[in-house]
Amino acid sequence: MSATSSNNGLDIRIDLHSAEALIRAFEEAPEIVEDELYGATWEATLFLQREVQERTPVGVGGAGGLKGSISAREPGRIADGVIGAVATSLTHAAPVELGTKPHFPPVTPLEDWARIKLGLDPKEAKGAAFAIARKIAREGTEGAFMFTETFEEGEDQVQMIFGQALERITARMAEARG
């Protein structure tokens, strides 16, 4: 499995160690291969979703914020295989994942954060928000790398899921032969 960063986010490619056997199996029994790869992709993306969510910082929205927005998408069948995704539609996910360079952020969301997370009254929250914004303007923000670290550390588990799928493909094909 490899992870690379792109303009669209983090791209993950899983390369099975037994790709040649999978190609031969696909030529012989494409329905079985697609069925097992679909199931394995679902299992792998649900595993990765859980792990990413566990690493995601909890903001003002609690579990309903960024953490709750991260989900495994139903696998899609494509011409030469199955594709899966773990993603979020929230725009602030990329800066949380990768961190930011120094910049002056909008203060209102920081006020909300200070009020809710720190329990400050509105006047105190406004002062705290400006202090936080000035610090971000000087230093930027550190990335949480919840997607990156999950994919790096989950590689063995994902490879195991797909290895088991390959074993099931082989068994089902043997059974179908007779």
Side-chain angles (χ1 to χ4, degrees), residues 115 119-126:
R115 193 174 36 74
L120 301 177
D121 67 44
K123 186 175 181 178
E124 292 173 318
K126 187 171 193 148

Side-chain angles (χ1 to χ4, degrees), residues 99-158:
T100 64
K101 293 180 179 179
H103 68 287
F104 199 86
V107 175
T108 303
L110 293 173
E111 285 181 54
D112 293 340
W113 182 87
R115 193 174 36 74
I116 294 168
K117 294 293 275 185
L118 303 177
L120 301 177
D121 67 44
K123 186 175 181 178
E124 292 173 318
K126 187 171 193 148
F130 273 104
I132 293 167
R134 283 191 296 274
K135 182 175 183 196
I136 293 171
R138 283 190 317 274
E139 300 175 17
T141 61
E142 193 173 313
F145 300 104
M146 62 273 190
F147 285 92
T148 304
E149 290 176 0
T150 294
F151 294 138
E152 288 172 357
E153 293 177 17
E155 179 177 0
D156 290 343
Q157 179 70 26
V158 170

Side-chain angles (χ1 to χ4, degrees), residues 1 12-16 35-53 70-75 82-87 147 150-165 168:
M1 181 169 69
I12 305 298
R13 180 172 308 278
I14 297 169
D15 299 312
L16 296 173
D35 183 51
E36 290 296 339
L37 288 181
Y38 182 88
T41 301
W42 233 158
E43 182 181 350
T45 56
L46 288 170
F47 161 73
L48 293 169
Q49 171 193 317
R50 183 190 74 225
E51 296 299 311
V52 170
Q53 286 177 326
I70 296 167
S71 64
R73 306 302 200 254
E74 182 175 358
V82 178
I83 188 168
V86 175
F147 285 92
T150 294
F151 294 138
E152 288 172 357
E153 293 177 17
E155 179 177 0
D156 290 343
Q157 179 70 26
V158 170
Q159 290 291 355
M160 184 182 78
I161 291 167
F162 282 94
Q164 290 169 343
R168 288 190 304 274

Side-chain angles (χ1 to χ4, degrees), residues 58-66 116-117:
V58 179
V60 174
L66 177 58
I116 294 168
K117 294 293 275 185

